[in-house]
Amino acid sequence: MTYEEATKLLAKCGQAHVLAYWKRLGKKDRDSLLAQIATIEPKNIAQCVKTLRDGAQVPDSSKGKAPKVAVLKGKALKAAVEAGEKELRAGRVAALLVAGGQGSRLGYDGPKGCYEIGPITNAPLFYFHARKILARSLRYGRSIPFYIMTSEANDAATKACFEANGYFGLPKEDVFFFTQGMWPGMTKDGRIILDRPGHIFMSPDGHGGLLAALKRSGALADMKKRGVKSVFFFQVDNPLVEIADPAFIGYHVAEGSEYSLKLCAKRDPYEKVGMPMRFGDTHRMVEYTEMTKEQCERRDKNGRLYFLYGSPAIHVFDRAFLEAEASKAMPLHLAFKKIPCVDAKGAVVKPSEPNGYKFEKFIFDILPNAKKAAFLAFDQAEEFSPVKNAEGTDSPATCKADMQAKWRRWLAAAGVTVDPALPVEIDPAYALDTADILKNGVCLGAD
Ligand code: UTP
């Protein structure tokens, strides 16, 4: 992009001040500023300004009803597993990981996927995800392409981690990295914030940035070329997730669903999880911050929480649905933050109070657009224990304990007794469940 083109674009967006310090910039800073401006799309800027003016639109959730949630057992479970296995054997399933987050609560310096979580091996989170995909694809004799969304900040380090570890055994051609978008921060009155005289403050556009990034990168086209129909979506911080779980895939396909969600029972009425609710024929994710005390505490006639099932962000999407949604604008969510900025003289200021807005998109905002959505209950202890915080709940300590408890349950069911004082770890490529342990046997060893 040339200076003239940048001037025109910014004028069109009402952001001419971005070039205010142009004359004092050196060649390198000028080039990088032009590269940043080239990523700006006038329609996105207009959407940011409108969102700031009108406020983020939060629909009324008071009329929301609990969705119909399936609990699969016996014959229904068997049928779902068989249907899912058919999809896996036909090579119609992909895995999609969002790993572009900043992991600020964990305070880890690097991509969260590189965080070492293996109780014995210290293997990183990426290892457990990749090895599960490998095991599942070996079991069903077809590859499961693995799409990984990174951000500008962690893309290089994520790829380096996969390279250094030989892609954890996965064929390199089945792993597809793509980078999410960055959006400029703005003041309340809709002016783009410069955090240095020649530099726009930008931040990742949220996990909802996934849709635009899938399209832009060619990942959606790649899925189509490979004949993918169902896309299993998961987050980087949960090593318990059962990636491409046949029951979930099968239930999704059998229901003719475009967007399916695995849900687990809340541990307490105020647990901070999103709550899918039904509004007539559609569904919408209601964030915990939007729920009233009455909604949180409401009970059904059996004394159970009425809004019982929350979403830990484990989804299956129909590929064609993602494709249709990728061309639509998504709503923006605002985060009011302390953002470094420049004063009238061009000096950098670090504010002590929030002074500007970041914009994020959330993937679950496409739920109301699904012609058919399906909800499947699962047991939290089996599949969800995220690494969010450095200490306390949802921390590495709780996650490692939950991983080991799950492996111990498999071993016990396979008739293997393990000294409770010893740590346990199972390579997912060796065993995905008790059946694999029974088939492969167990070698209990020191170190
Ligand atoms: P979180 O909301 O837990 O955010 O992300 P985070 O960045 O990992 O952690 P904090 O809030 O800074 O402590 C949930 C999932 O969404 C991905 C994350 O990588 C994680 O898998 N994510 C989040 C993105 O891919 N991009 C984003 O912009 C935000």
Side-chain angles (χ1 to χ4, degrees):
M1 166 169 274
T2 63
Y3 173 77
E4 287 68 32
E5 286 165 343
T7 314
K8 239 190 204 167
L9 177 75
L10 292 170
K12 192 171 166 191
C13 303
Q15 304 287 345
H17 68 281
V18 168
L19 286 167
Y21 303 97
W22 181 258
K23 285 201 177 119
R24 63 159 97 162
L25 301 180
K27 163 111 178 66
K28 207 169 141 216
D29 284 344
R30 284 183 171 187
D31 288 349
S32 77
L33 180 57
L34 289 179
Q36 278 193 311
I37 296 169
T39 65
I40 289 178
E41 290 191 35
K43 68 172 186 342
N44 293 350
I45 298 299
Q47 194 191 0
C48 292
V49 173
K50 185 171 183 312
T51 308
L52 285 169
R53 194 186 56 223
D54 303 346
Q57 299 299 303
V58 181
D60 177 17
S61 67
S62 61
K63 301 230 159 39
K65 301 255 186 315
K68 193 171 145 259
V69 181
V71 181
L72 296 179
K73 283 187 194 142
K75 273 189 191 155
L77 176 61
K78 191 164 170 276
V81 170
E82 281 169 9
E85 290 185 331
K86 190 170 161 209
E87 295 305 299
L88 286 153
R89 278 198 198 95
R92 289 195 286 262
V93 179
L96 173 59
L97 168 64
V98 283
Q102 291 166 314
S104 40
R105 281 169 288 174
L106 182 62
Y108 173 65
D109 189 20
K112 214 192 231 185
C114 298
Y115 186 83
E116 295 176 354
I117 198 71
I120 296 176
T121 61
N122 292 327
L125 283 159
F126 282 139
Y127 165 93
F128 289 96
H129 301 322
R131 302 288 284 176
K132 272 183 210 171
I133 293 170
L134 176 64
R136 197 77 79 193
S137 63
L138 289 174
R139 187 182 275 190
Y140 296 107
R142 291 296 290 264
S143 69
I144 299 173
F146 187 16
Y147 300 87
I148 303 170
M149 184 170 86
T150 63
S151 68
E152 252 177 40
N154 71 19
D155 183 64
T158 300
K159 288 175 179 160
C161 177
F162 273 76
E163 280 290 336
N165 289 286
Y167 286 73
F168 304 104
L170 285 170
K172 195 172 169 175
E173 62 278 13
D174 288 340
V175 183
F176 191 121
F177 298 98
F178 63 104
T179 309
Q180 71 179 101
M182 303 281 284
W183 278 31
M186 283 186 181
T187 57
K188 174 80 190 126
D189 54 0
R191 280 165 68 87
I192 288 178
I193 298 175
L194 298 177
D195 55 3
R196 296 199 303 272
H199 194 265
I200 298 172
F201 172 85
M202 288 195 157
S203 60
D205 58 356
H207 45 63
L210 170 70
L211 287 179
L214 275 173
K215 187 174 176 200
R216 198 172 48 236
S217 64
L220 269 178
D222 187 72
M223 288 179 190
K224 190 172 185 179
K225 198 176 80 200
R226 290 172 184 259
V228 168
K229 175 158 172 42
S230 301
V231 181
F232 184 96
F233 167 103
F234 64 107
Q235 300 192 334
V236 73
D237 46 31
N238 175 27
L240 263 69
V241 60
E242 290 293 338
I243 303 169
D245 162 21
F248 189 27
I249 302 280
Y251 184 67
H252 165 84
V253 171
E255 286 289 298
S257 169
E258 289 188 317
Y259 184 168
S260 302
L261 296 89
K262 260 196 184 180
L263 305 177
C264 59
K266 287 207 280 189
R267 288 169 285 192
D268 72 75
Y270 296 102
E271 190 173 340
K272 294 179 176 177
V273 285
M275 185 65 45
M277 291 189 191
R278 185 167 56 77
F279 298 85
D281 290 339
T282 60
H283 294 87
R284 176 171 80 78
M285 190 73 78
V286 173
E287 291 188 70
Y288 66 87
T289 46
E290 294 172 51
M291 286 183 71
T292 60
K293 185 170 179 291
E294 192 279 325
Q295 283 178 319
C296 290
E297 294 177 355
R298 186 170 162 190
R299 304 264 163 189
D300 64 16
K301 58 181 185 318
N302 301 315
R304 285 198 331 167
L305 284 180
Y306 175 73
F307 290 112
L308 178 64
Y309 290 105
S311 167
I314 301 171
H315 311 314
V316 176
F317 295 107
D318 179 60
R319 184 200 49 77
F321 174 63
L322 288 180
E323 200 170 285
E325 291 300 308
S327 311
K328 299 181 190 165
M330 295 179 76
L332 295 178
H333 297 255
L334 298 172
F336 194 37
K337 298 276 174 186
K338 293 180 208 165
I339 300 178
C341 54
V342 285
D343 66 15
K345 292 184 179 153
V348 175
V349 179
K350 287 215 165 119
S352 54
E353 295 300 324
N355 61 325
Y357 291 84
K358 290 183 180 179
F359 300 90
E360 276 193 320
K361 295 179 273 183
F362 295 160
I363 188 64
F364 51 70
D365 280 332
I366 64 174
L367 177 57
N369 303 345
K371 280 196 229 65
K372 171 85 199 216
F375 305 89
L376 182 63
F378 74 96
D379 180 1
Q380 166 148 22
E382 291 297 321
E383 300 181 40
F384 186 59
S385 182
V387 181
K388 296 279 185 199
N389 308 306
E391 281 169 5
T393 52
D394 295 342
S395 64
T398 55
C399 180
K400 282 184 195 185
D402 290 340
M403 291 167 89
Q404 295 185 87
K406 179 171 172 173
W407 288 322
R408 285 180 195 284
R409 285 194 291 275
W410 292 356
L411 288 164
V416 183
T417 318
V418 184
D419 181 343
L422 289 176
V424 177
E425 184 171 333
I426 295 179
D427 175 356
Y430 172 75
L432 273 177
D433 48 27
T434 304
D436 276 344
I437 294 177
L438 287 168
K439 193 172 88 200
N440 299 331
V442 175
C443 169
L444 291 176
D447 343 292

